Amino acid sequence: MRIDILSVMPELLEGPFQHSILKRAQEKGLFEVHVHSLRDFGLGKHKQLDDYQFGGGAGMVMMLEPVVNAIEHFTSQRQYDEIIFMTPDGERLNQPICNRLSMKKNLLILCGHYKGVDERIREHFITMEISIGDYVLSGGELPAAVLVDAIGRLLPGVLGDETSALFDSFQDNLLAPPVYTRPAEFRGWQAPEVLTSGNFSAIEEWRYEQALRRTMERRPDLLENED
Ligand code: ADE
């Protein structure tokens, strides 16, 4: 999979993909992330990217022309399965969306900034609009990093244990059960004995019950969405 990200603040995306799991995934050739500066497509001597909004009001708007030029530059090089705009008024990100996107080959992500982008970009180029939650961040870069991380870890071979992403919270509409490691007892706090019993069917059953209980207590809405 290849992901290209267009941003007015590419510096904000220097860190997230250079460490840990996503770094190894890129080294193994499973995944490519390229961050591009929209400034390269800015207009005139000052590489202008934003302008006052028509009708007045506070906040600048990302201009049509530089963003169109950037998008067309990249779409002329490859076919993108989706052109995604990160925006608080997009569809709220969840695990099924991440699962679906992890099966794509090429994604182009546009990070919003200022007051947003000229609406005509959304009308004519964007195929998906994604929000990471009902709160407003100062730009789409951190949301893009969240999206890329959530997708990247699902790609085959990225996680050491091939199956582990399948047991994450939200796969199956259940939160993950609690986990424990050594020591089995610390200050009198005992890890559940079943987990050290070696009885794998009992362990599976315990984990399922715990996942169900945790979901009922914390996120009953997930169970209501079950078919
Ligand atoms: N840009 C600013 N806030 C955002 C959010 N919550 N989700 C996606 N993009 C955003």
Side-chain angles (χ1 to χ4, degrees), residues 12-84:
L12 281 174
L13 290 165
E14 271 167 17
F17 315 124
Q18 305 308 327
H19 304 279
S20 180
I21 289 172
L22 294 191
K23 180 183 179 203
R24 279 202 304 280
Q26 291 180 85
E27 286 169 352
K28 283 200 236 165
L30 299 169
F31 183 47
E32 280 178 51
V33 186
H34 300 271
V35 182
H36 310 281
S37 174
L38 278 170
R39 190 66 61 185
D40 296 342
F41 298 87
L43 302 184
K45 204 166 75 195
H46 300 293
K47 300 284 175 198
Q48 189 182 357
L49 288 173
D50 59 329
D51 209 339
Y52 295 102
Q53 54 177 312
F54 285 148
M60 306 293 275
V61 175
M62 283 165 75
M63 296 166 82
L64 199 50
E65 218 177 321
V67 180
V68 169
N69 289 342
I71 292 177
E72 288 184 339
H73 171 82
F74 291 99
T75 53
S76 71
Q77 294 181 358
R78 62 186 49 78
Q79 173 92 35
Y80 287 95
D81 299 293
E82 300 287 356
I83 302 180
I84 301 169

Side-chain angles (χ1 to χ4, degrees), residues 86-88 130-133 135-140 143:
M86 304 310 300
T87 175
I130 295 181
S131 161
I132 63 160
Y135 43 86
V136 179
L137 298 162
S138 46

Side-chain angles (χ1 to χ4, degrees), residues 177-212:
V179 292
Y180 298 84
T181 186
R182 289 185 294 177
E185 198 248 80
F186 177 77
R187 295 188 184 168
W189 308 331
Q190 182 69 43
E193 269 165 28
V194 61
L195 295 178
T196 50
S197 68
N199 180 341
F200 291 105
S201 66
I203 291 171
E204 279 297 286
E205 199 176 319
W206 181 88
R207 285 184 171 151
Y208 179 71
E209 280 167 10
Q210 292 290 319
L212 202 56

